[in-house]
Amino acid sequence: MRHSPTPRSTAPAPAAAASPAAPDATASPSDPRESPAHQGGRRRGDWRLRFAFLSLVWGFSFLFIKVGTEGYAPFQVTFGRLFFGTLVVAAVLVAKRERLPRSWRTWGHLSVAALLLNAAPFSLFAYSELTIPSTLAGICNATSPLWGMALSLVALSEDRPTRRRVAGLGIGFLGVLTVLGAWHGFNGLDARGTAMALLASLCYPIGWIYVRRTLAGSGHSNLALTGAQLSVATLELAVVTPLFTSVPGHFPVVPLLAVVALGALGTGLAFLVQYELVAEVGPTTAQMVTYFTPVIATAAGVAVLGESLAWTTPVGAVIVLAGAALTQSRPRARTARP
């Protein structure tokens, strides 16, 4: 979950996702060694492997959140997620001898990005899963590209979507509604929990736009920005968590392992992969990972948590995949005749 930096001609920024969400390790395109032109030498299929990894990890993240909240308060789950995720990124920072930003202005922008892309959506998803199943949270996370598409029409004029991408997003959203069984009137859904999950998915594109406007071309590597952002988000939760929770009297093992996996895999390692993906294929295509996460989240919820599976789930999954494929397609370039 769903759910980071800027692509193409501007420097990638720090950690989002989603996904579980969501949701890091490439240098800024201001560095010629990591420019899009230099990346063109890579195999075209490499980004698809990273796309599949993020889909799998962020799909299971909703299950990890659900299991984590069975033993700990939502803010505690979010704090643990950020803490263990930061440890992974910090280890890579030390190994590569990267330096964190020194400008107070950059740290100020990173604080806002940490709130919009990490602290707020992670906490909202954790609280939402107190009353809604993990599968529904994953489906709500799939609305993030739709929010992003609408916002990009206003805020990102240089990244306006094509008709084909809009059609693909529409088809993908229909697939999500099919998985959800919208024609039944969403009977039995908890309105508050669902609203929290939808608000969490809205935080991601807002955060992306903010990052793109404020941190693009900062001159810092993507890894350094990601490490700094996750550190700030962890600090934000370290301040908030004691105000709303008390120290656990005991530490259940299974929920604790779920939080560790959520942080180390779904936040730390996934973010390192995510930013490289965004820098290579752009935010519109990279955000399509949120269409795959509800499919995986549903499968994980059924297999591990014993949630029921209706016929709408596999049918909706096929529609989601068709929409995702359409958004990634490109019209053929026309060659001018002499």
Side-chain angles (χ1 to χ4, degrees):
M1 315 202 42
R2 113 225 118 82
H3 102 215
S4 320
T6 75
R8 300 181 184 118
S9 59
T10 54
S19 203
D24 280 358
T26 54
S28 163
S30 59
D31 183 349
R33 295 172 300 175
E34 292 297 334
S35 65
H38 179 77
Q39 292 173 351
R42 298 179 181 177
R43 294 179 57 188
R44 295 182 62 184
D46 289 350
W47 73 268
R48 293 180 177 85
L49 296 177
R50 292 191 290 274
F51 190 96
F53 172 79
L54 289 176
S55 300
L56 183 64
V57 170
W58 281 338
F60 271 89
S61 292
F62 296 99
L63 181 148
F64 293 147
I65 293 173
K66 190 70 172 181
V67 175
T69 54
E70 292 177 355
Y72 304 97
F75 274 134
Q76 293 171 343
V77 172
T78 303
F79 172 73
R81 175 182 187 174
L82 289 168
F83 176 77
F84 290 110
T86 302
L87 288 182
V88 171
V89 178
V92 179
L93 278 170
V94 173
K96 293 190 174 184
R97 299 181 180 180
E98 291 275 357
R99 292 184 178 182
L100 296 177
R102 297 182 179 181
S103 170
W104 285 107
R105 183 176 182 179
T106 300
W107 280 99
H109 290 314
L110 286 171
S111 298
V112 178
L115 176 64
L116 292 173
L117 295 172
N118 304 120
F122 291 177
S123 299
L124 286 169
F125 273 123
Y127 269 101
S128 71
E129 292 199 38
L130 292 177
T131 56
I132 65 175
S134 62
T135 54
L136 178 56
I139 291 171
C140 291
N141 184 67
T143 64
S144 182
L146 301 177
W147 296 118
M149 180 68 73
L151 291 173
S152 68
L153 292 172
V154 178
L156 298 176
S157 59
E158 72 277 14
D159 192 34
R160 291 186 180 276
T162 63
R163 292 181 179 179
R164 184 172 300 191
R165 287 185 175 182
V166 172
L169 287 171
I171 292 173
F173 186 61
L174 288 177
V176 173
L177 293 179
T178 302
V179 173
L180 193 58
W183 54 85
H184 294 306
F186 305 105
N187 292 329
L189 297 181
D190 180 79
R192 183 178 179 181
T194 304
M196 286 184 177
L198 290 173
L199 181 59
S201 69
L202 176 60
C203 288
Y204 293 126
I206 294 176
W208 273 87
I209 292 174
Y210 179 84
V211 162
R212 189 168 182 174
R213 295 294 191 185
T214 60
L215 292 172
S218 64
H220 299 287
S221 72
N222 206 20
L223 178 59
L225 291 174
T226 296
Q229 181 182 313
L230 286 178
S231 299
V232 173
T234 304
L235 180 60
E236 291 173 348
L237 261 296
V239 173
V240 172
T241 301
L243 300 178
F244 296 92
T245 65
S246 57
V247 179
H250 63 287
F251 296 87
V253 176
V254 174
L256 179 59
L257 292 177
V259 173
V260 173
L262 179 65
L265 296 178
T267 303
L269 183 58
F271 281 170
L272 291 172
V273 174
Q274 181 199 25
Y275 283 97
E276 184 175 353
L277 181 65
V278 170
E280 184 173 351
V281 301
T284 301
T285 299
Q287 284 184 350
M288 287 303 301
V289 72
T290 56
Y291 274 147
F292 290 81
T293 53
V295 178
I296 298 174
T298 300
V302 171
V304 181
L305 300 179
E307 297 177 352
S308 59
L309 177 65
W311 66 268
T312 55
T313 300
V315 172
V318 173
I319 300 175
V320 168
L321 292 174
L326 183 59
T327 58
Q328 296 177 39
S329 63
R330 299 290 188 275
R332 294 182 179 179
R334 297 181 180 180
T335 57
R337 293 183 178 180

